[in-house]
Structures are given as C-alpha cells and as structure tokens.
Amino acid sequence: PSEPKVLELSSSKIETYLKCPFSYYCNYILALKNFEAATFNHADTGTYFHSIVEKFTKSLFETGSFKGKTPEEIKAFAKEEQEKYMENIFHGINGERENYSFDQHEKVILPLLQNINAEFAAGGFVPLVIKEKTESHYDVTEKIKAHMKGFADRIDIIEKDGFKYVRFIDYKTGKRAWSE
C-alpha cells in the first residue's frame, strides 16, 4: 500500500479555501503571485549603475589586455546596455517617467565610463576581479597583519618597483554623510 497523501494546512489556507476555492487553487496550488508594476526606484538605480560599470570594465579587458574605447563607443555601449536593462525590467512597456529617468542617468553614466576608460588607459592598475566576495590576508610588517573582508565591486592590482599594490573599489550611487 502507498503512503497517504499529506495535506499541508494552515488556518490561512483553510480560511482562503472557505472564502474562495478558486483563490486557494491560484495561491496554494499554482503558487501565483500578485502582479506588481515594474518601477525604477533608488535601489534600482544603484543596481543599474553597478551593472553597466561592471560590464563596461569587463569589456575593456575582454581580450586579456586593455583595449580602450572612443567617446562614441562609450556612448553606444551605454545606450545598448540601457536598452537591454529597460527591456529586461519593463518589457517594452516603459513610460515617459522611466525614459526621463534613464536620460538623466545617462548624464552621470557617460562621464563615469569615460573616467574609467581614461584611468585604465593611463596604465598601471588592471582589474584582478570584478564583483566578488573577498577575504584577504596581508602581512603589512612582521608585527602587523591586515585582514580584509567584504564585497568589492572591483579589485585592481599593479606591480611596481618590486611591490604589489592592491586597490579595492566600491562604487557608491547614493549620498553619503561623513561623520568625524
């Protein structure tokens, strides 16, 4: 004989079924969720900026060494990524508010990407990792050790005069208040 079927019940499930069996079926059998309209809020802005910067930095080194982009290539890159992002979020159903928001973001993104491009074009540091959880241990001196933990948007490295220099990059999109 087979095992009996176990019904996973709760007072909410029973109450939902008694009010409307179809609602019970939609919620608990099909696991349908309420549709929420796509929005582009402050948190989404940070995600969007991080995504573009990450992809842009990777594109500069996709051949294994730095290959800079012209201002026109940077603008085309940003526009293409914007369109992909908007399609992914809004599925082609974005309104004037969203279009305006993305146009305003472009005024920040383009100079940022140009800055990153110029920074790597100047030589020196190269990205070691992009967007990664990190935990590193360094011997600063014989008596001092440094332990770095956290998430880095980018970790760059340079070897110069027999020393390795590491820089941790954490992009910030919001306003930060400094306290002393």
Side-chain angles (χ1 to χ4, degrees), residues 161-180:
D161 301 327
F163 293 98
K164 284 185 183 179
Y165 298 91
V166 178
R167 103 180 139 182
F168 291 78
I169 310 295
D170 186 23
Y171 304 118
K172 298 295 181 200
T173 54
K175 293 181 181 176
R176 299 286 185 264
W178 294 93
S179 63
E180 298 195 22

Side-chain angles (χ1 to χ4, degrees), residues 43-104:
D44 297 325
T45 299
T47 302
Y48 172 64
F49 276 48
H50 277 75
S51 172
I52 287 191
V53 169
E54 176 186 340
K55 289 176 184 176
F56 180 74
T57 304
K58 285 181 179 178
S59 78
L60 295 175
F61 290 90
E62 63 191 358
T63 62
S65 60
F66 175 74
K67 182 184 180 307
K69 297 188 184 304
T70 66
E72 295 78 22
E73 290 173 320
I74 293 171
K75 188 170 185 164
F77 177 90
K79 190 69 174 166
E80 181 180 335
E81 289 302 318
Q82 173 187 335
E83 289 170 1
K84 286 180 193 175
Y85 197 90
M86 289 176 77
E87 180 60 33
N88 187 41
I89 299 296
F90 302 111
H91 306 287
I93 310 172
N94 44 298
E96 287 182 35
R97 179 179 179 270
E98 291 80 16
N99 289 334
Y100 175 79
S101 181
F102 277 93
D103 288 344
Q104 294 305 304

